Amino acid sequence: MESKKRIQFKNFCKGCQNEFTNFLKEFNYEFEIVTNNAQIIFISVFGATPSVMLKKLSEKHKTVFFTGESGRFGGKSRIIPRINPYAHLNLTFENTSQYNNIRYPLWLVYAQIHKSENRKKLANMTLTKKPIHGFCSFVYSNPIKHRDDFFKQLSSYKKVDAGGNSLNNVGKKVKDKLEFQTKYKFCIAYENCLQDGYTTEKIFDAYRSNSIPIYYGSSTINDDFNPQTFINAHDFNSIDSLIEYIKKVDNDDDLYNSFMNKPIFSEKWLNIFKDPQATFFKNIAQKIMT
């Protein structure tokens, strides 16, 4: 193994930074985190990331650009790069190999793939029957029109409990999103915006809560998750027809149970998680560190 590398993180959220450092440790790469004189700089979008800065950094350092975010933060649109043409390696949600990009969607960070035992657990994840204490959950911080509109229309059928800042109707903001969602049969998993490949933690958190996700966002969502385990709003011509199907699942035990006890991930990701050599992840680590 090569000598210890100096790594710097710029504009990274702490959770994402920790996931990448844990990821590199799994494959026995030695490194130290520095604030200057880095050999490798990880750059993300949680801060100012103008193209001029990205270009200058890439001229002097090996750069790894990561983003799981599209062009919307906090309910407000602003221009953020979805791929960095100057980086030596891009890890983004974009489904392209252009600019040395590898698709690495944001839900993958939340999946904590840096241990082989975690990957085995992911491969075995299913929805299972459970005691139901509510119809549907909705936990979001920011108002997004298409998401809020769906919440309001579905609420005309049965109450949807909103435990976040947005449209809160449970009296206070819930402290533990996953614990709150676990009580419900369904979970609204709507992305902030529509972009192919842009798949965040929202649907994965619904699965972790053992609730059937009602998903809207990436039209290529089936590339990541098993379509037999969630309700895909893209499969319906209108919100009305989507809600009619949700009602049917809600009132038909056999149909509801048909979502249970199946792998939640697509065949593609099941094969990646089951690979004893961890080839997909090992190759990324090698591209970063060599």
Side-chain angles (χ1 to χ4, degrees):
M1 196 63 63
E2 295 184 7
S3 59
K4 186 180 292 187
K5 293 289 182 71
R6 299 184 303 278
I7 293 178
Q8 184 177 2
F9 287 88
K10 283 182 173 290
N11 300 332
F12 254 73
C13 66
K14 186 175 181 180
C16 293
Q17 177 176 325
N18 290 344
E19 188 59 26
F20 278 106
T21 55
N22 289 332
F23 171 62
L24 295 174
K25 288 175 184 176
E26 180 190 359
F27 298 108
N28 300 315
Y29 285 101
E30 295 187 357
F31 57 88
E32 60 178 327
I33 308 299
V34 299
T35 56
N36 55 58
N37 196 30
Q39 294 166 285
I40 303 170
I41 298 181
F42 283 77
I43 310 169
S44 192
V45 296
F46 291 93
T49 51
S51 296
V52 172
M53 183 188 79
L54 296 172
K55 186 174 187 294
K56 287 183 177 179
L57 286 172
S58 297
E59 287 172 350
K60 297 180 180 180
H61 308 270
K62 182 172 185 178
T63 52
V64 179
F65 180 71
F66 167 75
T67 182
E69 299 292 344
S70 189
R72 181 183 289 272
F73 274 155
K76 298 179 180 179
S77 295
R78 69 177 178 87
I79 297 174
I80 61 172
R82 294 204 302 259
I83 201 163
N84 176 10
Y86 307 110
H88 298 90
L89 177 65
N90 279 279
L91 300 173
T92 78
F93 66 83
E94 297 282 1
N95 191 21
T96 178
S97 59
Q98 189 179 22
Y99 302 120
N100 203 21
N101 180 71
I102 298 173
R103 185 167 181 267
Y104 203 96
L106 187 59
W107 65 259
L108 200 56
V109 174
Y110 286 75
Q112 298 183 328
I113 48 76
H114 59 269
K115 292 182 180 179
S116 59
E117 56 264 37
N118 286 354
R119 293 192 289 271
K120 290 178 182 176
K121 289 178 182 178
L122 292 170
N124 292 321
M125 275 187 71
T126 67
L127 294 173
T128 59
K129 291 184 67 175
K130 64 179 183 181
I132 300 295
H133 302 288
F135 166 59
C136 185
S137 65
F138 179 93
V139 184
Y140 291 92
S141 298
N142 302 298
I144 301 292
K145 187 177 186 307
H146 66 263
R147 189 164 63 204
D148 293 354
D149 287 348
F150 175 69
F151 165 87
K152 292 171 184 176
Q153 287 184 251
L154 185 60
S155 296
S156 66
Y157 164 60
K158 280 186 180 180
K159 183 187 178 187
V160 178
D161 287 348
N165 287 330
S166 180
L167 302 172
N168 188 288
N169 60 9
V170 297
K172 62 180 179 180
K173 181 180 177 179
V174 299
K175 293 181 179 179
D176 189 320
K177 173 184 176 182
L178 297 185
E179 181 181 3
F180 175 76
Q181 291 180 166
T182 300
K183 304 171 185 176
Y184 297 88
K185 181 180 285 189
F186 302 98
C187 176
I188 295 176
Y190 269 41
E191 304 287 8
N192 289 6
C193 58
L194 309 184
Q195 173 74 29
D196 286 354
Y198 173 59
T199 313
T200 69
E201 79 287 354
K202 295 173 178 63
I203 186 171
F204 185 62
D205 281 351
Y207 283 121
R208 289 202 290 169
S209 304
N210 199 24
S211 298
I212 295 176
I214 304 169
Y215 181 80
Y216 188 56
S218 169
S219 64
T220 58
I221 185 65
N222 292 352
D223 291 345
D224 290 341
F225 294 95
N226 180 355
Q228 296 179 350
T229 62
F230 67 97
I231 298 173
N232 188 351
H234 292 277
D235 292 340
F236 299 87
N237 294 325
S238 66
I239 292 180
D240 287 341
S241 59
L242 168 61
I243 290 175
E244 285 304 311
Y245 181 72
I246 293 168
K247 291 180 184 179
K248 187 175 180 181
V249 177
D250 187 35
N251 291 286
D252 185 330
D253 287 342
D254 289 338
L255 183 56
Y256 168 74
N257 291 334
S258 71
F259 289 81
M260 306 293 119
N261 302 312
K262 297 174 180 176
I264 68 166
F265 290 102
S266 66
E267 285 294 326
K268 168 191 169 182
W269 284 104
L270 287 176
N271 290 335
I272 290 173
F273 294 145
K274 291 177 179 179
D275 176 10
Q277 304 302 318
T279 306
F280 175 80
F281 301 106
K282 189 179 294 184
N283 285 344
I284 292 176
Q286 185 177 34
K287 284 178 179 289
I288 292 171
M289 298 298 287
T290 59

PDB file of all heavy atoms in Angstrom, residues 83-111:
ATOM      1  N   ILE A  83     -22.168  18.103 -12.159  1.00  0.00           N
ATOM      2  CA  ILE A  83     -20.982  17.354 -12.549  1.00  0.00           C
ATOM      3  C   ILE A  83     -19.867  18.384 -12.741  1.00  0.00           C
ATOM      4  O   ILE A  83     -20.141  19.539 -13.076  1.00  0.00           O
ATOM      5  CB  ILE A  83     -21.244  16.527 -13.826  1.00  0.00           C
ATOM      6  CG1 ILE A  83     -20.251  15.386 -13.949  1.00  0.00           C
ATOM      7  CG2 ILE A  83     -21.269  17.401 -15.060  1.00  0.00           C
ATOM      8  CD1 ILE A  83     -20.688  14.307 -14.937  1.00  0.00           C
ATOM      9  N   ASN A  84     -18.633  18.003 -12.480  1.00  0.00           N
ATOM     10  CA  ASN A  84     -17.517  18.938 -12.545  1.00  0.00           C
ATOM     11  C   ASN A  84     -16.581  18.528 -13.681  1.00  0.00           C
ATOM     12  O   ASN A  84     -15.841  17.554 -13.559  1.00  0.00           O
ATOM     13  CB  ASN A  84     -16.769  18.945 -11.216  1.00  0.00           C
ATOM     14  CG  ASN A  84     -15.526  19.828 -11.250  1.00  0.00           C
ATOM     15  OD1 ASN A  84     -15.306  20.573 -12.197  1.00  0.00           O
ATOM     16  ND2 ASN A  84     -14.709  19.727 -10.214  1.00  0.00           N
ATOM     17  N   PRO A  85     -16.579  19.246 -14.790  1.00  0.00           N
ATOM     18  CA  PRO A  85     -15.738  18.852 -15.924  1.00  0.00           C
ATOM     19  C   PRO A  85     -14.253  18.956 -15.650  1.00  0.00           C
ATOM     20  O   PRO A  85     -13.445  18.416 -16.413  1.00  0.00           O
ATOM     21  CB  PRO A  85     -16.172  19.834 -17.024  1.00  0.00           C
ATOM     22  CG  PRO A  85     -16.744  21.000 -16.306  1.00  0.00           C
ATOM     23  CD  PRO A  85     -17.389  20.445 -15.072  1.00  0.00           C
ATOM     24  N   TYR A  86     -13.879  19.633 -14.551  1.00  0.00           N
ATOM     25  CA  TYR A  86     -12.463  19.808 -14.235  1.00  0.00           C
ATOM     26  C   TYR A  86     -11.937  18.741 -13.269  1.00  0.00           C
ATOM     27  O   TYR A  86     -10.736  18.583 -13.117  1.00  0.00           O
ATOM     28  CB  TYR A  86     -12.229  21.193 -13.627  1.00  0.00           C
ATOM     29  CG  TYR A  86     -12.764  22.315 -14.471  1.00  0.00           C
ATOM     30  CD1 TYR A  86     -13.875  23.050 -14.065  1.00  0.00           C
ATOM     31  CD2 TYR A  86     -12.183  22.630 -15.700  1.00  0.00           C
ATOM     32  CE1 TYR A  86     -14.382  24.074 -14.853  1.00  0.00           C
ATOM     33  CE2 TYR A  86     -12.683  23.655 -16.496  1.00  0.00           C
ATOM     34  CZ  TYR A  86     -13.777  24.369 -16.059  1.00  0.00           C
ATOM     35  OH  TYR A  86     -14.288  25.381 -16.848  1.00  0.00           O
ATOM     36  N   ALA A  87     -12.833  18.043 -12.604  1.00  0.00           N
ATOM     37  CA  ALA A  87     -12.407  17.072 -11.589  1.00  0.00           C
ATOM     38  C   ALA A  87     -11.751  15.855 -12.230  1.00  0.00           C
ATOM     39  O   ALA A  87     -12.085  15.468 -13.351  1.00  0.00           O
ATOM     40  CB  ALA A  87     -13.592  16.639 -10.734  1.00  0.00           C
ATOM     41  N   HIS A  88     -10.851  15.238 -11.485  1.00  0.00           N
ATOM     42  CA  HIS A  88     -10.231  14.004 -11.950  1.00  0.00           C
ATOM     43  C   HIS A  88     -11.190  12.817 -11.812  1.00  0.00           C
ATOM     44  O   HIS A  88     -11.086  11.846 -12.553  1.00  0.00           O
ATOM     45  CB  HIS A  88      -8.943  13.742 -11.165  1.00  0.00           C
ATOM     46  CG  HIS A  88      -7.919  14.815 -11.365  1.00  0.00           C
ATOM     47  ND1 HIS A  88      -7.844  15.925 -10.560  1.00  0.00           N
ATOM     48  CD2 HIS A  88      -6.957  14.960 -12.317  1.00  0.00           C
ATOM     49  CE1 HIS A  88      -6.854  16.706 -10.983  1.00  0.00           C
ATOM     50  NE2 HIS A  88      -6.303  16.145 -12.039  1.00  0.00           N
ATOM     51  N   LEU A  89     -12.120  12.922 -10.863  1.00  0.00           N
ATOM     52  CA  LEU A  89     -13.145  11.892 -10.677  1.00  0.00           C
ATOM     53  C   LEU A  89     -14.425  12.556 -10.213  1.00  0.00           C
ATOM     54  O   LEU A  89     -14.408  13.389  -9.304  1.00  0.00           O
ATOM     55  CB  LEU A  89     -12.688  10.855  -9.641  1.00  0.00           C
ATOM     56  CG  LEU A  89     -13.690   9.755  -9.287  1.00  0.00           C
ATOM     57  CD1 LEU A  89     -13.972   8.870 -10.503  1.00  0.00           C
ATOM     58  CD2 LEU A  89     -13.177   8.910  -8.127  1.00  0.00           C
ATOM     59  N   ASN A  90     -15.539  12.225 -10.844  1.00  0.00           N
ATOM     60  CA  ASN A  90     -16.855  12.682 -10.416  1.00  0.00           C
ATOM     61  C   ASN A  90     -17.631  11.511  -9.834  1.00  0.00           C
ATOM     62  O   ASN A  90     -17.655  10.420 -10.422  1.00  0.00           O
ATOM     63  CB  ASN A  90     -17.637  13.243 -11.601  1.00  0.00           C
ATOM     64  CG  ASN A  90     -17.257  14.674 -11.924  1.00  0.00           C
ATOM     65  OD1 ASN A  90     -17.727  15.610 -11.282  1.00  0.00           O
ATOM     66  ND2 ASN A  90     -16.393  14.866 -12.921  1.00  0.00           N
ATOM     67  N   LEU A  91     -18.252  11.733  -8.688  1.00  0.00           N
ATOM     68  CA  LEU A  91     -19.165  10.769  -8.080  1.00  0.00           C
ATOM     69  C   LEU A  91     -20.490  11.503  -7.901  1.00  0.00           C
ATOM     70  O   LEU A  91     -20.671  12.277  -6.950  1.00  0.00           O
ATOM     71  CB  LEU A  91     -18.621  10.279  -6.734  1.00  0.00           C
ATOM     72  CG  LEU A  91     -17.263   9.567  -6.775  1.00  0.00           C
ATOM     73  CD1 LEU A  91     -16.752   9.287  -5.361  1.00  0.00           C
ATOM     74  CD2 LEU A  91     -17.348   8.272  -7.567  1.00  0.00           C
ATOM     75  N   THR A  92     -21.416  11.290  -8.821  1.00  0.00           N
ATOM     76  CA  THR A  92     -22.660  12.051  -8.828  1.00  0.00           C
ATOM     77  C   THR A  92     -23.832  11.133  -9.143  1.00  0.00           C
ATOM     78  O   THR A  92     -23.654   9.962  -9.446  1.00  0.00           O
ATOM     79  CB  THR A  92     -22.618  13.172  -9.892  1.00  0.00           C
ATOM     80  OG1 THR A  92     -22.859  12.608 -11.194  1.00  0.00           O
ATOM     81  CG2 THR A  92     -21.286  13.903  -9.891  1.00  0.00           C
ATOM     82  N   PHE A  93     -25.028  11.702  -9.110  1.00  0.00           N
ATOM     83  CA  PHE A  93     -26.218  10.912  -9.442  1.00  0.00           C
ATOM     84  C   PHE A  93     -26.422  10.793 -10.944  1.00  0.00           C
ATOM     85  O   PHE A  93     -27.298  10.056 -11.399  1.00  0.00           O
ATOM     86  CB  PHE A  93     -27.469  11.515  -8.801  1.00  0.00           C
ATOM     87  CG  PHE A  93     -27.848  12.872  -9.328  1.00  0.00           C
ATOM     88  CD1 PHE A  93     -28.579  13.003 -10.499  1.00  0.00           C
ATOM     89  CD2 PHE A  93     -27.478  14.021  -8.647  1.00  0.00           C
ATOM     90  CE1 PHE A  93     -28.931  14.251 -10.990  1.00  0.00           C
ATOM     91  CE2 PHE A  93     -27.828  15.276  -9.126  1.00  0.00           C
ATOM     92  CZ  PHE A  93     -28.552  15.388 -10.297  1.00  0.00           C
ATOM     93  N   GLU A  94     -25.625  11.504 -11.721  1.00  0.00           N
ATOM     94  CA  GLU A  94     -25.793  11.494 -13.175  1.00  0.00           C
ATOM     95  C   GLU A  94     -25.426  10.126 -13.756  1.00  0.00           C
ATOM     96  O   GLU A  94     -24.398   9.540 -13.397  1.00  0.00           O
ATOM     97  CB  GLU A  94     -24.916  12.563 -13.821  1.00  0.00           C
ATOM     98  CG  GLU A  94     -25.269  13.986 -13.425  1.00  0.00           C
ATOM     99  CD  GLU A  94     -26.495  14.503 -14.161  1.00  0.00           C
ATOM    100  OE1 GLU A  94     -27.087  13.755 -14.955  1.00  0.00           O
ATOM    101  OE2 GLU A  94     -26.854  15.677 -13.936  1.00  0.00           O
ATOM    102  N   ASN A  95     -26.246   9.641 -14.656  1.00  0.00           N
ATOM    103  CA  ASN A  95     -26.016   8.325 -15.260  1.00  0.00           C
ATOM    104  C   ASN A  95     -25.204   8.484 -16.542  1.00  0.00           C
ATOM    105  O   ASN A  95     -25.696   8.272 -17.652  1.00  0.00           O
ATOM    106  CB  ASN A  95     -27.346   7.623 -15.533  1.00  0.00           C
ATOM    107  CG  ASN A  95     -27.149   6.168 -15.903  1.00  0.00           C
ATOM    108  OD1 ASN A  95     -26.118   5.575 -15.609  1.00  0.00           O
ATOM    109  ND2 ASN A  95     -28.135   5.591 -16.561  1.00  0.00           N
ATOM    110  N   THR A  96     -23.950   8.894 -16.374  1.00  0.00           N
ATOM    111  CA  THR A  96     -23.062   9.092 -17.504  1.00  0.00           C
ATOM    112  C   THR A  96     -21.630   8.794 -17.076  1.00  0.00           C
ATOM    113  O   THR A  96     -21.289   8.934 -15.894  1.00  0.00           O
ATOM    114  CB  THR A  96     -23.147  10.540 -18.037  1.00  0.00           C
ATOM    115  OG1 THR A  96     -22.225  10.700 -19.116  1.00  0.00           O
ATOM    116  CG2 THR A  96     -22.787  11.548 -16.954  1.00  0.00           C
ATOM    117  N   SER A  97     -20.811   8.385 -18.026  1.00  0.00           N
ATOM    118  CA  SER A  97     -19.383   8.184 -17.757  1.00  0.00           C
ATOM    119  C   SER A  97     -18.565   9.379 -18.225  1.00  0.00           C
ATOM    120  O   SER A  97     -17.332   9.384 -18.093  1.00  0.00           O
ATOM    121  CB  SER A  97     -18.891   6.907 -18.454  1.00  0.00           C
ATOM    122  OG  SER A  97     -19.100   6.993 -19.858  1.00  0.00           O
ATOM    123  N   GLN A  98     -19.249  10.398 -18.761  1.00  0.00           N
ATOM    124  CA  GLN A  98     -18.556  11.603 -19.211  1.00  0.00           C
ATOM    125  C   GLN A  98     -17.846  12.273 -18.044  1.00  0.00           C
ATOM    126  O   GLN A  98     -18.329  12.274 -16.914  1.00  0.00           O
ATOM    127  CB  GLN A  98     -19.557  12.578 -19.846  1.00  0.00           C
ATOM    128  CG  GLN A  98     -18.917  13.761 -20.536  1.00  0.00           C
ATOM    129  CD  GLN A  98     -19.943  14.680 -21.167  1.00  0.00           C
ATOM    130  OE1 GLN A  98     -21.106  14.685 -20.768  1.00  0.00           O
ATOM    131  NE2 GLN A  98     -19.528  15.452 -22.155  1.00  0.00           N
ATOM    132  N   TYR A  99     -16.699  12.858 -18.300  1.00  0.00           N
ATOM    133  CA  TYR A  99     -15.889  13.520 -17.280  1.00  0.00           C
ATOM    134  C   TYR A  99     -15.492  12.555 -16.160  1.00  0.00           C
ATOM    135  O   TYR A  99     -15.445  12.918 -14.985  1.00  0.00           O
ATOM    136  CB  TYR A  99     -16.606  14.737 -16.693  1.00  0.00           C
ATOM    137  CG  TYR A  99     -16.991  15.768 -17.714  1.00  0.00           C
ATOM    138  CD1 TYR A  99     -18.314  16.123 -17.891  1.00  0.00           C
ATOM    139  CD2 TYR A  99     -16.020  16.378 -18.516  1.00  0.00           C
ATOM    140  CE1 TYR A  99     -18.677  17.072 -18.844  1.00  0.00           C
ATOM    141  CE2 TYR A  99     -16.375  17.321 -19.467  1.00  0.00           C
ATOM    142  CZ  TYR A  99     -17.703  17.669 -19.627  1.00  0.00           C
ATOM    143  OH  TYR A  99     -18.061  18.591 -20.575  1.00  0.00           O
ATOM    144  N   ASN A 100     -15.241  11.311 -16.530  1.00  0.00           N
ATOM    145  CA  ASN A 100     -14.818  10.301 -15.558  1.00  0.00           C
ATOM    146  C   ASN A 100     -15.806  10.227 -14.393  1.00  0.00           C
ATOM    147  O   ASN A 100     -15.417  10.194 -13.225  1.00  0.00           O
ATOM    148  CB  ASN A 100     -13.408  10.604 -15.039  1.00  0.00           C
ATOM    149  CG  ASN A 100     -12.725   9.359 -14.499  1.00  0.00           C
ATOM    150  OD1 ASN A 100     -13.087   8.232 -14.822  1.00  0.00           O
ATOM    151  ND2 ASN A 100     -11.724   9.553 -13.654  1.00  0.00           N
ATOM    152  N   ASN A 101     -17.084  10.187 -14.742  1.00  0.00           N
ATOM    153  CA  ASN A 101     -18.142  10.134 -13.723  1.00  0.00           C
ATOM    154  C   ASN A 101     -18.564   8.698 -13.435  1.00  0.00           C
ATOM    155  O   ASN A 101     -18.692   7.876 -14.339  1.00  0.00           O
ATOM    156  CB  ASN A 101     -19.366  10.919 -14.196  1.00  0.00           C
ATOM    157  CG  ASN A 101     -20.495  10.902 -13.176  1.00  0.00           C
ATOM    158  OD1 ASN A 101     -20.391  11.525 -12.126  1.00  0.00           O
ATOM    159  ND2 ASN A 101     -21.556  10.178 -13.468  1.00  0.00           N
ATOM    160  N   ILE A 102     -18.772   8.409 -12.159  1.00  0.00           N
ATOM    161  CA  ILE A 102     -19.374   7.151 -11.711  1.00  0.00           C
ATOM    162  C   ILE A 102     -20.649   7.507 -10.966  1.00  0.00           C
ATOM    163  O   ILE A 102     -20.631   8.365 -10.074  1.00  0.00           O
ATOM    164  CB  ILE A 102     -18.422   6.363 -10.791  1.00  0.00           C
ATOM    165  CG1 ILE A 102     -17.144   5.977 -11.549  1.00  0.00           C
ATOM    166  CG2 ILE A 102     -19.113   5.107 -10.246  1.00  0.00           C
ATOM    167  CD1 ILE A 102     -16.081   5.346 -10.660  1.00  0.00           C
ATOM    168  N   ARG A 103     -21.750   6.879 -11.323  1.00  0.00           N
ATOM    169  CA  ARG A 103     -23.004   7.192 -10.631  1.00  0.00           C
ATOM    170  C   ARG A 103     -22.935   6.711  -9.185  1.00  0.00           C
ATOM    171  O   ARG A 103     -22.690   5.538  -8.907  1.00  0.00           O
ATOM    172  CB  ARG A 103     -24.212   6.563 -11.333  1.00  0.00           C
ATOM    173  CG  ARG A 103     -25.515   6.995 -10.669  1.00  0.00           C
ATOM    174  CD  ARG A 103     -26.746   6.656 -11.489  1.00  0.00           C
ATOM    175  NE  ARG A 103     -27.930   7.130 -10.787  1.00  0.00           N
ATOM    176  CZ  ARG A 103     -28.654   6.375  -9.951  1.00  0.00           C
ATOM    177  NH1 ARG A 103     -28.349   5.101  -9.776  1.00  0.00           N
ATOM    178  NH2 ARG A 103     -29.699   6.876  -9.316  1.00  0.00           N
ATOM    179  N   TYR A 104     -23.163   7.651  -8.267  1.00  0.00           N
ATOM    180  CA  TYR A 104     -23.095   7.379  -6.834  1.00  0.00           C
ATOM    181  C   TYR A 104     -24.217   8.185  -6.177  1.00  0.00           C
ATOM    182  O   TYR A 104     -23.992   9.265  -5.635  1.00  0.00           O
ATOM    183  CB  TYR A 104     -21.720   7.804  -6.291  1.00  0.00           C
ATOM    184  CG  TYR A 104     -21.308   7.110  -5.008  1.00  0.00           C
ATOM    185  CD1 TYR A 104     -20.492   5.993  -5.035  1.00  0.00           C
ATOM    186  CD2 TYR A 104     -21.728   7.591  -3.769  1.00  0.00           C
ATOM    187  CE1 TYR A 104     -20.088   5.368  -3.872  1.00  0.00           C
ATOM    188  CE2 TYR A 104     -21.345   6.974  -2.602  1.00  0.00           C
ATOM    189  CZ  TYR A 104     -20.515   5.866  -2.658  1.00  0.00           C
ATOM    190  OH  TYR A 104     -20.126   5.238  -1.489  1.00  0.00           O
ATOM    191  N   PRO A 105     -25.465   7.684  -6.256  1.00  0.00           N
ATOM    192  CA  PRO A 105     -26.613   8.467  -5.769  1.00  0.00           C
ATOM    193  C   PRO A 105     -26.564   8.711  -4.271  1.00  0.00           C
ATOM    194  O   PRO A 105     -25.921   7.959  -3.522  1.00  0.00           O
ATOM    195  CB  PRO A 105     -27.804   7.582  -6.151  1.00  0.00           C
ATOM    196  CG  PRO A 105     -27.248   6.195  -6.240  1.00  0.00           C
ATOM    197  CD  PRO A 105     -25.842   6.352  -6.743  1.00  0.00           C
ATOM    198  N   LEU A 106     -27.253   9.743  -3.832  1.00  0.00           N
ATOM    199  CA  LEU A 106     -27.180  10.159  -2.428  1.00  0.00           C
ATOM    200  C   LEU A 106     -27.673   9.084  -1.473  1.00  0.00           C
ATOM    201  O   LEU A 106     -27.157   8.954  -0.358  1.00  0.00           O
ATOM    202  CB  LEU A 106     -27.988  11.447  -2.233  1.00  0.00           C
ATOM    203  CG  LEU A 106     -27.875  12.093  -0.848  1.00  0.00           C
ATOM    204  CD1 LEU A 106     -26.431  12.457  -0.524  1.00  0.00           C
ATOM    205  CD2 LEU A 106     -28.763  13.332  -0.762  1.00  0.00           C
ATOM    206  N   TRP A 107     -28.686   8.282  -1.866  1.00  0.00           N
ATOM    207  CA  TRP A 107     -29.185   7.251  -0.948  1.00  0.00           C
ATOM    208  C   TRP A 107     -28.071   6.276  -0.565  1.00  0.00           C
ATOM    209  O   TRP A 107     -28.107   5.684   0.523  1.00  0.00           O
ATOM    210  CB  TRP A 107     -30.369   6.493  -1.555  1.00  0.00           C
ATOM    211  CG  TRP A 107     -30.087   5.665  -2.776  1.00  0.00           C
ATOM    212  CD1 TRP A 107     -30.352   6.008  -4.071  1.00  0.00           C
ATOM    213  CD2 TRP A 107     -29.500   4.358  -2.826  1.00  0.00           C
ATOM    214  NE1 TRP A 107     -29.949   5.006  -4.934  1.00  0.00           N
ATOM    215  CE2 TRP A 107     -29.437   3.985  -4.195  1.00  0.00           C
ATOM    216  CE3 TRP A 107     -29.030   3.473  -1.859  1.00  0.00           C
ATOM    217  CZ2 TRP A 107     -28.912   2.759  -4.609  1.00  0.00           C
ATOM    218  CZ3 TRP A 107     -28.502   2.255  -2.276  1.00  0.00           C
ATOM    219  CH2 TRP A 107     -28.443   1.908  -3.628  1.00  0.00           C
ATOM    220  N   LEU A 108     -27.061   6.134  -1.431  1.00  0.00           N
ATOM    221  CA  LEU A 108     -25.975   5.205  -1.166  1.00  0.00           C
ATOM    222  C   LEU A 108     -25.149   5.650   0.039  1.00  0.00           C
ATOM    223  O   LEU A 108     -24.631   4.812   0.792  1.00  0.00           O
ATOM    224  CB  LEU A 108     -25.095   5.091  -2.410  1.00  0.00           C
ATOM    225  CG  LEU A 108     -24.193   3.868  -2.555  1.00  0.00           C
ATOM    226  CD1 LEU A 108     -24.979   2.576  -2.470  1.00  0.00           C
ATOM    227  CD2 LEU A 108     -23.432   3.948  -3.872  1.00  0.00           C
ATOM    228  N   VAL A 109     -25.047   6.964   0.242  1.00  0.00           N
ATOM    229  CA  VAL A 109     -24.336   7.479   1.418  1.00  0.00           C
ATOM    230  C   VAL A 109     -25.083   7.096   2.688  1.00  0.00           C
ATOM    231  O   VAL A 109     -24.489   6.676   3.689  1.00  0.00           O
ATOM    232  CB  VAL A 109     -24.173   9.009   1.315  1.00  0.00           C
ATOM    233  CG1 VAL A 109     -23.577   9.572   2.599  1.00  0.00           C
ATOM    234  CG2 VAL A 109     -23.297   9.373   0.115  1.00  0.00           C
ATOM    235  N   TYR A 110     -26.403   7.203   2.660  1.00  0.00           N
ATOM    236  CA  TYR A 110     -27.222   6.860   3.822  1.00  0.00           C
ATOM    237  C   TYR A 110     -27.241   5.354   4.084  1.00  0.00           C
ATOM    238  O   TYR A 110     -27.527   4.919   5.199  1.00  0.00           O
ATOM    239  CB  TYR A 110     -28.648   7.366   3.635  1.00  0.00           C
ATOM    240  CG  TYR A 110     -28.782   8.855   3.783  1.00  0.00           C
ATOM    241  CD1 TYR A 110     -28.355   9.720   2.768  1.00  0.00           C
ATOM    242  CD2 TYR A 110     -29.325   9.421   4.929  1.00  0.00           C
ATOM    243  CE1 TYR A 110     -28.463  11.094   2.897  1.00  0.00           C
ATOM    244  CE2 TYR A 110     -29.436  10.797   5.070  1.00  0.00           C
ATOM    245  CZ  TYR A 110     -29.006  11.618   4.055  1.00  0.00           C
ATOM    246  OH  TYR A 110     -29.105  12.988   4.198  1.00  0.00           O
ATOM    247  N   ALA A 111     -26.918   4.567   3.071  1.00  0.00           N
ATOM    248  CA  ALA A 111     -26.946   3.108   3.219  1.00  0.00           C
ATOM    249  C   ALA A 111     -25.748   2.569   3.980  1.00  0.00           C
ATOM    250  O   ALA A 111     -25.734   1.404   4.363  1.00  0.00           O
ATOM    251  CB  ALA A 111     -27.021   2.453   1.840  1.00  0.00           C
TER     252      ALA A 111
END
